[in-house]
Amino acid sequence: MQPANSVTANPHPPPSRRDFLQWLAASPLVGALSGCLPPGAAVAPSAPPSGPSATTGNPSRSVLHAPVASAADALDVFDLERVAEIAMPPAHFGYIQTGVDGEETQRNNRTALERLHIRARRLVDVSRLDTRVTLFGREWPTPIVIAPCGSQRGFHPEGEIATARAAQAAGHLQVLSTVSSTGVEEVNEARGEPVWYQLYATSNREVTRAVVDRVRAAGCPVIVLTVDLPAGGNRLTLARWSRIDERSCTSCHRPGGRAPTVKPMFQGTGYRPADFRTPAMTWDFIGELRAMTDQRLVVKGLVTREDAELALEHGVDGIWVSNHGGRAEGSGRATIEALPEIAAAVGGRVPLIVDGGFRRGTDIFKAIARGADAVAVGRPYLWGLGAFGQAGVERALEILRDELAMTMRLAGTPSLSAIGPAAVGVN
Ligand SMILES: Cc1cc2nc3c(=O)[nH]c(=O)nc-3n(C[C@H](O)[C@H](O)[C@H](O)COP(=O)(O)O)c2cc1C
């Protein structure tokens, strides 16, 4: 079984990365994966990471959980995590994994989900399932949303384009990050329709206005304003993984490099890095944003009833319960714990999205039972992307959809609206 804190733990320290790469180099599958491996990864052939147990002849645990060779082989999203860990540059993998401080918030996102159980009902006709959800008049076949995550070309050369194609393949709502490594127009084209756009409002209003004008012109119907990162977080896991990365960051992260210092959405806006943080931003900014655009406004990063009420008072169109996947404040408060009080405050008046630690269909089910209309995921699809590009993102989403469908059948809930508060209990 996956340990509760597997998201933050480092289950495969660097030696297993090396062992796997050696084994992989000798495998016929190396061709299939080579596009994902860091330069110079293929090394001399050798044995698989570990062999059968000498006493029983059964394979050891590390063989049972050995990295899968193709996206289709992944049994759960953690199988994709294991491949991403060895296929990606350490610093970039560390950027995905990191929380803040001792990672209490990130870990609690998971443990709080595990403290809930599902109250399964019997003898309900579940031969037909309905997982559709309608957000702002647009119907989606699944409530599973692709959370905005920046810098995706750092995880795979096709970055946000691979994610957009995977989103299109199964009809997922995709939200594009302000700090994406691909411009919104290109992503919209790959997605086949305009995505929702996540906004980091800079502290320079002219820069912010230029970004908003651009995404409005690109046809994005919804702006998701992220409000949980007014200042930087204490990302120790990122620092530790960066330490073991032998490459020089400045070989890519420099003006004109493969990862330019000014992100595509800020180019041509007069943006300076000092503009990025918004420590002075208050609720008044909602009014300013309203004056800039007629797009729908969703506020992302709320974790209290009080802020949900303020958001409604300020006229937002939707609320996204999030602690940035445990990458912002080290409060230790899990989003699944914050969800019920926010759902009660919202009372169905606006759509409610939640994210933070959702890794299985049962987790998504629990969020819907606690009042979410849709559930977003970050790291699971990034693991898929880092491991296998578009095929990996598709597989991560497919696993979650299939698991949700199976959970709904086994719980006797044929539609999302049948998943009410009584469908979960606390252990
Ligand atoms: C690598 C990475 C980059 C992220 N970048 C952004 C971002 O640019 N904007 C944003 O609002 N949230 C960002 N997030 C947070 C996600 O949108 C989401 O809230 C979080 O990943 C959900 O938690 P999960 O990863 O446990 O599923 C990022 C998360 C990760 C892991």
Side-chain angles (χ1 to χ4, degrees), residues 229-244:
L229 262 190
N234 193 24
R235 296 181 173 176
L236 305 182
T237 291
L238 169 60
R240 292 184 202 286
W241 277 91
S242 300
R243 250 187 221 161
I244 63 159

Side-chain angles (χ1 to χ4, degrees), residues 148-150 177 198 200 226 300 322 324-325 327 355 357 359 378-379:
C149 294
S177 161
Q198 176 268 325
Y200 281 130
T226 297
K300 174 173 183 277
S322 178
H324 221 100
R327 300 160 73 82
D355 71 25
R359 302 289 179 265
R379 293 178 185 89

Side-chain angles (χ1 to χ4, degrees), residues 5-331:
N5 62 351
S6 65
V7 175
T8 56
N10 169 12
H12 300 284
S16 79
R17 172 187 173 86
R18 205 165 37 242
D19 290 348
F20 174 74
L21 291 173
Q22 285 179 342
W23 169 74
L24 188 66
S27 157
L29 297 162
V30 75
L33 266 176
S34 59
C36 310
L37 291 174
V43 286
S46 95
S50 46
S53 137
T55 47
T56 64
N58 287 335
S60 72
R61 211 177 158 75
S62 63
V63 169
L64 290 177
H65 288 268
V68 296
S70 76
D73 289 337
L75 296 177
D76 61 14
V77 298
F78 297 107
D79 278 343
L80 297 167
E81 178 185 25
R82 272 183 282 274
V83 178
E85 178 175 357
I86 50 186
M88 287 179 60
H92 295 185
F93 181 71
Y95 179 64
I96 291 178
Q97 298 303 88
T98 199
V100 292
D101 301 341
E103 318 225 304
E104 295 81 2
T105 312
Q106 185 179 185
R107 202 161 46 243
N108 288 352
N109 278 344
R110 296 285 309 133
T111 51
L113 278 163
E114 289 180 4
R115 272 199 302 274
L116 299 180
H117 59 253
I118 292 171
R119 299 181 66 249
R121 300 294 306 274
R122 310 296 186 211
L123 296 173
V124 179
D125 179 357
V126 288
S127 54
R128 293 163 72 89
L129 281 191
D130 184 357
T131 60
R132 289 172 301 171
V133 61
T134 299
L135 302 170
F136 303 130
R138 159 75 150 94
E139 186 181 282
W140 301 91
T142 167
I144 301 167
V145 174
I146 296 176
C149 294
S151 308
Q152 294 182 22
R153 282 191 203 269
F155 311 146
H156 185 275
E158 290 173 7
E160 291 86 0
I161 297 298
T163 302
R165 290 186 180 137
Q168 183 178 35
H172 286 263
L173 166 58
Q174 179 184 5
V175 186
L176 183 69
S177 161
T178 293
V179 289
S180 59
S181 42
T182 313
V184 67
E185 300 81 3
E186 240 186 290
V187 174
N188 284 350
E189 201 181 319
R191 176 61 186 83
E193 67 177 280
V195 295
W196 289 16
Y197 187 79
Q198 176 268 325
L199 180 71
Y200 281 130
T202 67
S203 51
N204 179 330
R205 290 292 175 264
E206 290 320 304
V207 170
T208 305
R209 186 186 306 279
V211 173
V212 169
D213 285 351
R214 180 170 165 187
V215 299
R216 188 169 174 276
C220 298
V222 179
I223 295 255
V224 177
L225 174 69
T226 297
V227 296
D228 55 15
L229 262 190
N234 193 24
R235 296 181 173 176
L236 305 182
T237 291
L238 169 60
R240 292 184 202 286
W241 277 91
S242 300
R243 250 187 221 161
I244 63 159
D245 198 326
E246 287 159 11
R247 304 161 323 135
S248 154
C249 297
T250 47
S251 63
C252 296
H253 295 269
R254 60 181 160 79
R258 268 201 308 158
T261 45
V262 176
K263 296 282 184 184
M265 292 307 292
F266 287 137
Q267 277 165 18
T269 63
Y271 166 87
R272 292 167 306 124
D275 298 331
F276 190 63
R277 297 294 174 205
T278 50
M281 190 164 82
T282 68
W283 286 105
D284 291 343
F285 181 71
I286 302 292
E288 286 184 50
L289 196 50
R290 276 272 180 239
M292 283 182 207
T293 180
D294 54 3
Q295 289 155 291
R296 302 274 194 176
L297 300 185
V298 173
V299 64
K300 174 173 183 277
L302 303 191
V303 285
T304 61
R305 175 189 65 247
E306 294 89 329
D307 279 345
E309 284 164 358
L310 279 169
L312 292 176
E313 277 170 32
H314 285 81
V316 305
D317 299 304
I319 290 179
W320 189 316
V321 178
S322 178
N323 54 27
H324 221 100
R327 300 160 73 82
E329 90 282 350
S331 63

